[in-house]
């Protein structure tokens, strides 16, 4: 029984062990999962589900039968598909297992896809099973399959036009097949949704249409008079019928029928002084409306008649201009600018300005008499008369420019220049000393220039029996010459007048001139040099052209004498345009006259068909010459000094301007550099936007006048002199009067400095003279730019007979106080001198000093004793204060304490130095006490207060060497 029971138990154990072994054998993972080799998928953008063909299913032979009922199958999990793995970079997809047992899975997008970014995606996928046991050991992977996924587009974008707006220009009266094209684009990725299928004009009732390709054309002929510009709104549709996000604006301008004209011409052209040539028409071209042209002629005129005497010229005096142009000396200026030495033109109306030439107006009631002796009464031939004149059509009466006639008793005209019925006539009667026979006496020229109200320059060379006339540099022959007998002998003096003729018998003026005159000159000798005449007339501004080499032979260019107009001729339109683009305006003056110069272009065109030839209208504009930077002429130097009377009475005299300096500056406003300002912390002052910079410049001067301040010069015992050889060397001239002297001539500032350094003042009777004051003023361009008034005061030091002084401190010093200018104020004409009140003695002080000097020697010993006693008293008082005791030592003998030796030696050294300074100071104070107050006030109160305290605490005399 026991054995049998054991046998049954062993059998049961064997069965269990067999089942366990069978189960373990069934759990072994022998096979890899299997999937298809290629998959194709479709996904719609903005969706994550991918439709695959074929579906994603992984199979594994290790998997049990689905419907098996055996124990071991139901207990095993081997052969299940645990997942799919995607291989590739930045793959926006993931694979998910739906059923592990069946191996079914799906691919889906991680995020929303964008077809416009990427239309297709390709990657590989691999399946893997769950392996063996709970920990997935011995996991098997399938092969890699390729997956192709296409992203389908949705119509998410609307059309967008390439341009924000469109513009076109059409000519009226024409019907166009296409005026312009509008174009829109669509950002969708598919062909269907990215194509523009239609354009549409939204604006109603416009004579335009647009086709499916975006071409716009007009449906009827347009009229410039009806509408000059059409504004259309156009939209677009894609093939998915999405409308453009924004409609586009189309502007169509209607031009009138083509008219030939100059195109690209700026009417206002600004010219900055000192910049040289300025192109007037840099981008201009001639529009001929496709008309066949055979030749072109253009006349360019620069109107400058309102500037000065017909154009911009140097505004120096006529006499100076003659010298600059190379004319010889001997010229007499009859219409000079009013000054102290030339005052006969003071009453004449002028242009009231200095920007341009100074001209004189004669209104038919005014005339002037030229001072006697200015022009020789016996004017010998040959001689020259030159004048600038502007005269219009007047009455049928003689209008006298210049006349030399009898001063009294009779009305005989010795010579005269006048205008009569637009004729210029010169009368020259023979002198009585000459042979009594007929000679040419009147020369008549019929001139349009004499009555055209424009400025013209006239030069007459008189050398009887012939007279030659130059008008604006061109020679004119007289059309009529009449003869006459010589004048009868007479002792009557003559009178030279301008603007009318003096009738000596009636004592009145007659034959008044109506017009403007300037630069009236008479000079001995003929002015035959054509270069000199052209120089006097030539303008400093005008037109210029630099012909390009490639068109120089194809175009002909001609100028008028003063270059105010030029003519261009040619038959090649392109070459003609290039020449016009190289025409420029040039003003060579350093300080040109500002204002407007009008421009006019007159064009003549010839065509093959003369009947239909085009007409080009005149083009007009103007050149604006900007205001030049005005120079500020500054005079500086020693403005207060004194000299002994002997120097005034010496042969050399006293130099008035020994250290004169002439400086000219211009002030410019420079825009601040924002970057540098930020770096330097310029934001602290936001109001500062521009920087003012002064620059020193060089230019000429034409006049310097030295005048007396106060009483006029007495020619009997005083006067101003200058080295005439130096004047002639520099080509300058000098005129003097009891008011001073005037130096004239165009020359550099440096040369004027040299000449002004040589001006001397002499006085032969200085007994009653204590001081003299003078004023210096210099100018440029005939008074256009004037310097500051530089005033100089000279004091006379009167000295008595020499006296032997016991102390050299009383010797009269050589009193010269030069004023050293550390800097010159160039900000304006009125310079502020830091030493205006230099220490200079007054006359009363000098007399007092001379008188007191005789008395000082008599009392000097007494002064020494008093000072010695005072010093002793002060020392004792100081010693008493130290011991807080008061001593009465008035009756005691002074004894030097040896213990005080060091202190006395130390203090005496300082006192000796201070005493020497105070002695020198006393000399100047005694001599110049009257002026010291103002000088001390300017030099500062602090040093003077210290000196005053020093003088009170210390004694000025060193009595250490005196014996009692």
């Amino acid at each position: 029984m026991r054995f049998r029971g054991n046998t049954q138990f062993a059998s049961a154990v064997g069965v269990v062990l067999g089942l366990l072994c069978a189960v373990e054998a069934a759990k072994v993972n022998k096979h890899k999962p299997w999937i298809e080799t290629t998959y194709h998928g479709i996904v719609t953008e903005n969706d994550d589900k991918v439709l695959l063909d074929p579906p994603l299913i992984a199979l594994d032979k290790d998997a049990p039968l689905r419907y098996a009922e055996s124990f071991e199958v139901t207990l095993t999990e081997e052969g299940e598909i645990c997942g799919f793995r995607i291989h590739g970079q930045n793959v926006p997809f993931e694979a998910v297992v739906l059923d592990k047992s069946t191996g079914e899975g799906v691919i889906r997008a991680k995020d929303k896809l964008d077809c416009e970014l990427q239309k297709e995606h390709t990657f590989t996928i691999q399946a893997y099973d769950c392996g063996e046991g709970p920990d997935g050991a011995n996991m098997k992977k399938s092969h890699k399959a390729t997956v192709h996924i296409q992203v389908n587009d949705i119509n998410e974008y609307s059309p967008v036009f390439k341009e924000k707006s469109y513009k076109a220009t059409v000519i009226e009266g024409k019907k166009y097949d296409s005026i312009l094209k509008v174009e829109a684009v669509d950002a969708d990725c598919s062909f269907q949704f990215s194509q523009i299928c239609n354009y549409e004009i939204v604006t109603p009732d416009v004579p335009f249409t647009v086709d499916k390709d975006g071409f716009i054309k007009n449906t009827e002929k347009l009229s410039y008079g009806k509408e000059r510009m059409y504004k259309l709104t156009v939209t677009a549709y894609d093939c998915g019928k999405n409308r453009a996000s924004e409609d586009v604006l189309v502007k169509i301008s209607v031009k009138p029928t083509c008219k030939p004209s100059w195109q690209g011409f700026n009417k206002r052209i600004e010219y900055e002084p000192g910049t040289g040539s300025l192109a007037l028409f840099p981008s201009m071209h001639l529009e001929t409306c496709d008309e066949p042209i055979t030749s072109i002629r253009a006349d360019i005129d620069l109107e400058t008649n309102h500037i000065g005497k017909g154009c911009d010229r140097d505004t120096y005096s006529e006499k100076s201009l003659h010298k600059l142009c190379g004319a010889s000396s001997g010229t007499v200026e009859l219409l000079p600018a009013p000054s102290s030495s030339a005052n006969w033109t003071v009453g004449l109306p002028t242009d009231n300005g200095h920007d341009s030439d100074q001209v004189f107006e004669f209104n038919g009631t005014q005339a002037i008499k030229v001072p006697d002796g200015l022009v020789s009464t016996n004017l010998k031939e040959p001689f020259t008369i030159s004048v600038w004149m502007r005269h219009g059509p007047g009455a049928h009466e003689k209008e006298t420019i210049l006349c030399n006639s009898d001063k009294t008793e009779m009305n005989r005209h010795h010579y005269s220049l006048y205008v009569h019925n637009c004729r210029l006539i010169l009368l020259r009667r023979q002198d009585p000393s000459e042979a009594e026979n007929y000679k040419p006496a009147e020369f008549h020229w019929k001139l349009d220039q004499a009555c055209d109200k424009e400025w013209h320059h006239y030069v007459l060379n008189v050398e009887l029996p012939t007279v030659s006339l130059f008008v604006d540099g061109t020679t004119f022959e007289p059309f009529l010459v009449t003869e006459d007998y010589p004048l009868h002998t007479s002792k009557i003096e003559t009178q030279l007048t301008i603007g009318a003729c003096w009738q000596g018998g009636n004592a009145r003026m007659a034959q008044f001139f109506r017009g403007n005159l300037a630069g009236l000159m008479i000079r001995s000798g003929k002015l035959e040099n054509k270069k000199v005449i052209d120089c006097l007339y030539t303008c400093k501004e005008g037109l210029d052209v630099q012909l390009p080499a490639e068109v120089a032979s194809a175009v002909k260019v001609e100028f008028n004498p003063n270059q105010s107009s030029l003519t261009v001729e040619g038959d090649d339109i392109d070459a003609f345009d290039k020449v016009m683009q190289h025409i420029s305006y040039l003003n060579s003056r350093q300080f040109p006259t500002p204002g407007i110069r009008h421009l006019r272009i007159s064009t003549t065109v010839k065509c093959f068909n003369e009947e239909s030839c085009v007409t080009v209208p005149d083009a007009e504009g103007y050149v604006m010459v900007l205001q030049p930077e005005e120079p500020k002429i500054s005079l500086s130097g020693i403005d207060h000094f004194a000299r002994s009377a002997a120097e005034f009475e010496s042969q050399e005299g006293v130099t008035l301007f020994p250290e004169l300096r002439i400086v000219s500056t211009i002030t410019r406003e420079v825009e601040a550099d924002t970057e540098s300002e930020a770096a330097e912390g310029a934001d602290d002052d936001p109001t500062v936007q521009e920087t003012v910079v002064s620059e020193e410049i060089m230019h000429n001067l034409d006049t310097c006048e030295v005048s007396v301040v106060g009483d006029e010069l007495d020619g009997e015992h005083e006067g101003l002199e200058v080295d005439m050889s130096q004047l002639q060397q520099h080509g300058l001239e000098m005129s003097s009067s009891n008011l001073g002297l005037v130096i004239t001539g165009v020359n550099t500032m440096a040369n004027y400095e040299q000449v002004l350094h040589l001006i001397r003042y002499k006085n032969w009777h200085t007994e009653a003279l204590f001081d003299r004051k003078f004023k210096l003023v210099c100018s440029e361009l005939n008074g256009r730019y004037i310097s500051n008034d530089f005033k100089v005061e000279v004091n006379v030091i009167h000295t008595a007979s020499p006296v032997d002084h016991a102390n050299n401190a009383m010797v009269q010093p050589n009193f010269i106080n030069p004023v050293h200018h550390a800097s010159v104020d160039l900000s304006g004409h009125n310079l502020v001198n830091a030493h205006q009140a230099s220490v200079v003695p007054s006359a009363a002080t000098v007399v007092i000093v001379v008188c007191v000097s005789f008395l000082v020697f008599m009392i000097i010993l007494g002064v020494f004793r008093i000072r010695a006693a005072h010093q002793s008293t002060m020392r004792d008082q100081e010693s008493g204060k130290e011991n807080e005791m008061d001593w009465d030592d008035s009756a005691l003998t002074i004894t030097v304490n040896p213990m005080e030796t060091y202190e006395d030696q130390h203090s005496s050294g300082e006192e000796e130095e201070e005493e020497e300074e105070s002695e020198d100071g006393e000399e100047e104070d005694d001599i110049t006490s009257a002026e010291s107050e103002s000088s001390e006030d300017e030099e500062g109160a602090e040093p003077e207060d210290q000196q005053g305290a020093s003088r009170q605490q210390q004694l000025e005399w060193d009595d250490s060497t005196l014996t009692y």
Side-chain angles (χ1 to χ4, degrees):
M1 289 294 293
R2 180 179 300 177
F3 176 76
R4 185 178 179 178
N6 292 335
T7 301
Q8 291 178 350
F9 176 77
S11 298
V13 170
V15 172
V16 171
L17 291 174
L19 290 175
L20 290 174
C21 291
V23 171
E24 291 297 327
K27 289 183 178 180
V28 176
N29 191 10
K30 297 181 179 180
H31 300 92
K32 296 180 181 179
W34 178 90
I35 58 176
E36 298 285 348
T37 58
T38 304
Y39 293 91
H40 294 275
I42 298 174
V43 62
T44 303
E45 63 177 346
N46 299 331
D47 193 6
D48 62 347
K49 186 176 181 181
V50 179
L51 299 178
L52 285 178
D53 182 23
L56 182 61
I57 298 176
L59 301 177
D60 194 328
K61 292 183 179 181
D62 295 322
L65 294 177
R66 191 179 188 104
Y67 302 104
E69 296 181 355
S70 62
F71 175 77
E72 57 270 22
V73 171
T74 58
L75 294 178
T76 61
E77 295 181 356
E78 288 72 14
E80 291 185 350
I81 303 302
C82 279
F84 297 93
R85 182 170 298 169
I86 293 176
H87 299 277
Q89 293 183 352
N90 301 323
V91 177
F93 297 95
E94 61 181 359
V96 180
V97 177
L98 297 180
D99 190 338
K100 292 183 177 182
S101 61
T102 61
E104 183 180 359
V106 295
I107 296 177
R108 60 190 180 191
K110 295 179 182 179
D111 298 309
K112 291 184 179 180
L113 301 176
D114 192 345
C115 174
E116 288 71 34
L117 295 178
Q118 189 170 349
K119 292 183 179 181
E120 294 182 353
H121 298 270
T122 300
F123 53 90
T124 59
I125 192 171
Q126 193 175 29
Y128 59 92
D129 58 20
C130 295
E132 299 175 359
D135 55 354
N138 196 22
M139 182 182 65
K140 301 291 185 180
K141 297 181 181 179
S142 71
H143 64 273
K144 293 182 180 179
T146 303
V147 180
H148 300 281
I149 298 178
Q150 179 179 347
V151 182
N152 284 347
D153 185 27
I154 62 174
N155 194 7
E156 57 183 327
Y157 291 100
S158 298
V160 177
F161 284 95
K162 288 186 175 181
E163 304 291 339
K164 293 183 178 180
S165 63
Y166 293 86
K167 295 181 180 180
T169 301
V170 297
I171 298 175
E172 65 175 347
K174 291 181 65 175
K175 199 169 181 181
Y176 292 84
D177 293 334
S178 174
I179 297 175
L180 79 159
K181 180 183 179 181
V182 296
E183 186 176 359
V185 294
D186 195 307
D188 287 312
C189 65
S190 64
F191 179 82
Q192 176 185 3
F193 298 140
S194 63
Q195 295 298 308
I196 306 299
C197 286
N198 187 30
Y199 292 94
E200 181 182 338
I201 296 177
V202 180
T203 306
D205 301 328
V206 289
F208 299 96
T209 184
V210 59
D211 61 16
K212 63 178 183 178
D213 296 322
F215 290 100
I216 297 176
K217 63 181 180 179
N218 55 325
T219 57
E220 61 185 40
K221 294 181 179 180
L222 305 177
S223 172
Y224 178 78
K226 181 180 178 181
E227 190 72 39
R228 297 187 179 184
M229 177 181 286
Y230 290 90
K231 296 181 179 180
L232 316 176
T233 302
V234 179
T235 191
Y237 294 90
D238 61 19
C239 294
K241 296 185 178 181
N242 265 8
R243 182 173 173 172
S245 56
E246 291 185 8
D247 299 338
V248 72
L249 177 64
V250 179
K251 296 180 180 179
I252 301 177
S253 300
V254 181
K255 289 180 61 178
T257 305
C258 179
K259 295 180 180 179
S261 61
W262 289 104
Q263 304 291 326
F265 172 45
N266 293 327
K267 290 188 176 182
R268 176 186 172 94
I269 305 160
E270 291 189 353
Y271 180 80
E272 185 175 351
T275 56
S277 256
L278 174 66
L280 296 176
F281 323 112
S283 58
M284 188 171 72
H285 68 278
L286 181 61
E287 174 62 58
T288 60
C289 297
D290 300 328
E291 186 72 26
I293 303 297
T294 59
S295 66
I296 311 170
R297 173 191 170 98
D299 296 311
I300 300 94
D301 295 315
L302 178 70
E303 298 179 6
T304 60
N305 296 333
H306 60 292
I307 303 296
K309 299 191 293 287
C311 65
D312 213 1
R313 297 181 175 88
D314 284 330
T315 57
Y316 296 118
S317 67
E318 198 69 18
K319 192 172 184 178
S320 297
L321 290 175
H322 274 67
K323 284 190 176 182
L324 290 175
C325 289
S328 58
S329 59
T331 302
V332 178
E333 191 170 6
L334 301 181
L335 283 176
S339 65
S340 59
S341 59
N343 56 6
W344 62 89
T345 58
V346 171
L348 286 177
T350 64
D351 61 348
N352 296 323
H354 297 294
D355 283 348
S356 57
D357 296 333
Q358 187 175 44
V359 301
F360 297 92
E361 180 182 355
F362 294 85
N363 57 12
T365 62
Q366 295 171 317
I368 59 173
K369 293 181 179 180
V370 178
D372 296 337
L374 189 66
V375 179
S376 174
T377 55
N378 298 322
L379 190 60
K380 298 298 182 181
E381 301 170 3
F383 65 90
T384 302
I385 299 175
S386 64
V387 66
W388 284 92
M389 181 178 70
R390 179 170 60 186
H391 182 262
H396 301 289
E397 298 178 356
K398 294 181 179 180
E399 298 182 45
T400 301
I401 301 170
L402 176 68
C403 180
N404 183 262
S405 59
D406 290 333
K407 184 176 289 188
T408 59
E409 298 182 15
M410 290 187 287
N411 299 330
R412 297 180 304 172
H413 297 179
H414 295 255
Y415 61 87
S416 67
L417 180 66
Y418 59 93
V419 180
H420 187 209
N421 290 333
C422 295
R423 298 178 182 180
L424 183 67
I425 302 171
L426 174 69
L427 169 66
R428 170 61 171 163
R429 299 292 298 276
Q430 298 181 60
D431 291 336
S433 60
E434 299 179 2
E436 294 187 4
N437 54 4
Y438 276 107
K439 276 191 175 183
E442 276 192 344
F443 298 83
H444 298 248
W445 294 271
K446 190 172 184 179
L447 303 171
D448 294 336
Q449 292 90 334
C451 293
D452 63 0
K453 292 185 179 181
E454 302 292 342
W455 279 105
H456 298 284
H457 186 240
Y458 301 83
V459 176
L460 295 98
N461 284 323
V462 181
E463 188 176 16
L464 295 180
T466 61
V467 177
S468 56
L469 170 67
F470 296 87
V471 180
D472 297 337
T474 305
T475 305
F476 287 84
E477 296 295 331
F479 79 96
L480 176 64
V481 178
T482 61
E483 296 181 343
D484 203 347
Y485 282 106
L487 296 171
H488 298 292
T489 304
S490 173
K491 295 183 179 180
I492 301 174
E493 296 181 355
T494 59
Q495 177 65 59
L496 185 60
T497 56
I498 301 172
C501 201
W502 175 254
Q503 304 292 342
N506 303 327
R508 65 179 180 86
M509 294 285 187
Q511 302 174 5
F512 286 94
F513 179 78
R514 295 175 178 82
N516 297 96
L517 297 175
L520 180 57
M521 309 282 292
I522 290 184
R523 65 185 304 273
S524 60
K526 295 175 65 175
L527 192 63
E528 293 180 336
N529 193 331
K530 187 67 165 58
K531 291 184 178 180
V532 175
I533 295 174
D534 290 342
C535 175
L536 293 172
Y537 167 71
T538 302
C539 297
K540 295 293 185 180
E541 65 176 340
L543 300 174
D544 191 17
V545 61
Q546 298 295 330
L547 290 178
E550 64 271 16
V551 300
S553 60
V555 178
K556 180 182 178 181
V557 179
E558 292 182 351
F559 287 89
N560 71 335
N562 62 355
Q563 291 190 300
S564 62
S565 66
L566 63 85
T567 301
V568 183
E569 293 184 69
D571 53 11
D572 186 339
I573 295 181
D574 293 335
F576 201 91
D577 288 342
K578 286 184 179 179
V579 172
M580 294 294 290
Q581 292 168 5
H582 283 78
I583 295 176
S584 59
Y585 169 80
L586 175 64
N587 195 316
S588 60
R589 293 190 64 193
Q590 186 176 9
F591 307 108
T593 303
I596 291 176
R597 279 77 163 163
H598 289 281
L599 274 173
R600 179 187 296 271
I601 304 176
S602 303
T603 309
T604 304
V605 177
K606 292 184 179 181
C607 310
F608 287 104
N609 187 355
E610 294 294 337
E611 295 180 357
S612 62
C613 192
V614 297
T615 301
V616 180
D618 293 349
E620 296 184 357
Y622 62 92
V623 177
M624 171 60 74
V625 178
L626 303 179
Q627 180 75 36
E629 299 288 346
E630 294 193 1
K632 296 180 180 179
I633 307 170
S634 303
L635 309 179
S636 61
I638 300 176
D639 59 358
H640 206 171
F641 59 91
R643 296 290 186 272
S644 65
E647 292 188 45
F648 286 92
E649 298 176 357
S650 66
Q651 185 66 26
E652 292 78 12
V654 174
T655 303
L656 289 182
F657 312 107
E659 298 183 13
L660 176 70
R661 186 161 182 253
I662 305 176
V663 177
S664 183
T665 59
I666 58 174
T667 302
R668 300 180 185 272
E669 290 186 354
V670 181
E671 293 184 0
D673 188 353
T674 55
E675 295 181 0
S676 61
E677 282 184 357
E680 296 174 2
D683 295 337
D684 296 339
D685 189 2
T687 61
V688 178
Q689 297 179 350
E690 294 182 341
T691 303
V692 178
V693 179
S694 292
E695 299 179 3
E696 183 173 344
I697 62 170
M698 302 302 295
H699 58 78
N700 292 328
L701 298 177
D702 60 0
T703 304
C704 280
E705 181 175 359
V706 181
S707 57
V708 182
V709 178
D711 297 335
E712 298 180 359
L713 293 173
D714 188 346
E716 294 183 359
H717 60 78
E718 62 178 342
L720 294 173
E721 295 183 1
V722 66
D723 190 342
M724 297 303 298
S725 63
Q726 290 290 331
L727 281 177
Q728 294 174 0
Q729 181 180 348
H730 292 102
L732 301 176
E733 295 185 0
M734 187 268 291
S735 60
S736 60
S737 66
N738 57 353
L739 298 177
L741 61 83
V742 179
I743 299 175
T744 57
V746 180
N747 217 313
T748 63
M749 294 186 293
N751 287 339
Y752 261 94
E753 274 188 12
Q754 294 179 10
V755 172
L756 292 172
H757 288 168
L758 303 176
I759 295 179
R760 303 181 302 275
Y761 170 66
K762 293 183 180 181
N763 193 305
W764 300 276
H765 301 285
T766 58
E767 292 81 2
L769 180 67
F770 298 106
D771 58 59
R772 249 323 190 175
K773 297 180 181 179
F774 299 91
K775 180 178 72 174
L776 173 64
V777 178
C778 295
S779 65
E780 162 70 334
L781 294 174
N782 210 15
R784 180 176 176 182
Y785 302 116
I786 303 175
S787 72
N788 60 303
D789 293 347
F790 179 63
K791 295 181 180 180
V792 173
E793 181 176 348
V794 184
N795 295 102
V796 182
I797 301 177
H798 295 274
T799 58
S801 301
V803 178
D804 294 334
H805 296 285
N807 193 321
N808 58 5
M810 301 306 297
V811 177
Q812 178 74 16
N814 184 14
F815 198 97
I816 301 176
N817 286 316
V819 180
H820 299 284
H821 293 274
S823 61
V824 180
D825 182 8
L826 303 178
S827 61
H829 293 306
N830 296 323
L831 298 182
V832 180
N833 195 326
H835 301 275
Q836 290 285 352
S838 302
V839 180
V840 179
S842 67
T845 304
V846 173
V847 174
I848 294 172
V849 169
V850 172
C851 296
V852 171
S853 62
F854 288 101
L855 300 177
V856 171
F857 181 73
M858 301 299 295
I859 63 173
I860 191 169
L861 293 176
V863 172
F864 287 163
R865 290 183 178 275
I866 294 173
R867 292 175 60 84
H870 182 61
Q871 284 182 339
S872 300
T873 303
M874 293 297 293
R875 290 194 185 105
D876 294 338
Q877 287 179 356
E878 291 176 359
S879 177
K881 289 179 180 178
E882 291 175 358
N883 297 317
E884 297 182 355
M885 296 179 67
D886 296 332
W887 295 91
D888 183 11
D889 57 357
S890 59
L892 297 179
T893 303
I894 298 173
T895 302
V896 179
N897 188 351
M899 297 299 293
E900 297 176 353
T901 302
Y902 173 78
E903 180 180 358
D904 292 342
Q905 289 177 353
H906 181 71
S907 62
S908 63
E910 294 180 352
E911 290 176 359
E912 286 176 2
E913 293 178 359
E914 294 175 354
E915 285 167 7
E916 290 176 1
E917 294 177 359
S918 63
E919 285 172 9
D920 296 337
E922 276 190 335
E923 285 181 12
E924 294 183 3
D925 291 343
D926 292 340
I927 297 172
T928 64
S929 59
E931 284 78 12
S932 62
E933 293 179 0
S934 60
S935 175
E936 290 164 2
D937 290 341
E938 289 187 0
E939 292 176 0
E942 183 177 351
E944 186 65 27
D945 293 340
Q946 293 176 0
Q947 291 180 4
S950 176
R951 291 175 183 174
Q952 291 178 2
Q953 295 176 6
Q954 299 180 5
L955 300 176
E956 289 83 1
W957 300 96
D958 182 8
D959 57 352
S960 60
T961 60
L962 296 178
T963 57
Y964 293 91

